[in-house]
Amino acid sequence: MDLQQDKNDVRKALRFKLAAMSSADRSTKSQLACALVQATPEFAAASVVMLYLSTAAEVDTAGLVLRCWQMGKTVVVPKTSWNERQMMPVEINSLTTGLVTNEKGIREPAACKPVPAEFIDLVIVPGLGFTPKGYRIGRGMGFYDRFLAQPDFVGVSCGLAFDEQLVEKLPVVDHDVPLNMLVSDGGIRRFTSQTMWTV
């Protein structure tokens, strides 16, 4: 089977499932998932947290961003360079100012003063789908794959998802590296020891 076509089919099915969710479901499940992230020792220990600025179809991270600031944590979010196919972690201090919406409809910092990857303790990773073993499928651009694979990043990678995004298996190639953790509204999974906790 053609791997790329297989991935495209999986993405299409997952987008359909996400589109079928109601706004109320997304809101409730976002709050549950983000509360579980906040309860983890990985979050408590992190001084610098990289988050994504969510779109309507994703787990809403706004509450998580605000909680980071309340706890004195530094928050960085991706700024993408589409030509170079890279994303740079940039510190933000507001969810209302200093942001722009890029050509893909994603909010990102207007200014660009990157934070070195080695300073980031925890990265909250979006995706279209995730497996119980920590593999993910994104939207096909590979930004997070390249970021997490760089040797300078030594922090914890944590996927954030709705339970609707969990699938038994995904098309995986040899260089795909699983996340350290996955948090959904249904529980917390850690993969470094292949152990799972459901809360």
Side-chain angles (χ1 to χ4, degrees), residues 21-34:
M21 292 178 66
S22 69
S23 296
D25 273 351
R26 286 196 193 100
S27 177
T28 299
K29 287 171 172 282
S30 290
Q31 291 176 37
L32 286 170
C34 289

Side-chain angles (χ1 to χ4, degrees), residues 57-80:
E58 295 174 319
V59 174
D60 187 352
T61 59
L64 203 49
V65 172
L66 295 174
R67 184 60 181 151
C68 284
W69 287 330
Q70 288 170 356
M71 296 176 70
K73 301 179 187 295
T74 298
V75 173
V76 299
V77 299
K79 183 174 178 64
T80 51

Side-chain angles (χ1 to χ4, degrees), residues 12 23 36-37 49 63 94 120 122 133 138 140 162 166 193:
K12 183 177 180 181
S23 296
L36 288 175
V37 171
V49 180
S94 172
I120 300 171
L122 175 64
K133 293 186 177 179
F162 300 115
L166 305 185
S193 61

Side-chain angles (χ1 to χ4, degrees), residues 24-192:
D25 273 351
R26 286 196 193 100
S27 177
T28 299
K29 287 171 172 282
S30 290
Q31 291 176 37
L32 286 170
C34 289
L36 288 175
V37 171
Q38 292 172 36
T40 64
E42 291 85 355
F43 180 79
S47 296
V48 180
V49 180
M50 181 171 171
L51 291 132
Y52 62 92
L53 296 175
S54 46
T55 63
E58 295 174 319
V59 174
D60 187 352
T61 59
L64 203 49
V65 172
L66 295 174
R67 184 60 181 151
C68 284
W69 287 330
Q70 288 170 356
M71 296 176 70
K73 301 179 187 295
T74 298
V75 173
V76 299
V77 299
K79 183 174 178 64
T80 51
S81 172
W82 298 100
N83 291 335
E84 298 176 12
R85 296 177 73 88
Q86 297 288 333
M87 66 181 193
M88 297 158 287
V90 177
E91 183 178 358
I92 61 168
N93 297 293
S94 172
L95 287 173
T96 56
T97 59
L99 302 174
V100 295
T101 300
N102 66 25
E103 59 265 39
K104 301 292 184 180
I106 299 169
R107 289 178 301 152
E108 62 181 20
C112 184
K113 186 179 178 183
V115 173
E118 61 262 33
F119 293 171
I120 300 171
D121 303 304
L122 175 64
V123 177
I124 302 298
V125 184
L128 280 174
F130 300 85
T131 74
K133 293 186 177 179
Y135 289 98
R136 65 180 282 276
I137 187 168
R139 287 164 174 75
M141 300 298 289
F143 287 111
Y144 277 91
D145 293 327
R146 284 188 290 277
F147 181 84
L148 296 174
Q150 62 184 316
D152 286 348
F153 174 66
V154 294
V156 175
S157 58
C158 176
L160 185 60
F162 300 115
D163 270 358
E164 283 80 355
Q165 294 173 266
L166 305 185
V167 294
E168 273 305 307
K169 61 181 181 176
L170 289 168
V172 173
V173 294
D174 290 342
H175 62 260
D176 286 338
V177 178
L179 300 165
N180 300 128
M181 299 171 58
L182 172 63
V183 178
S184 69
D185 51 280
I188 302 167
R189 295 167 172 83
R190 292 179 176 86
F191 306 112
T192 48

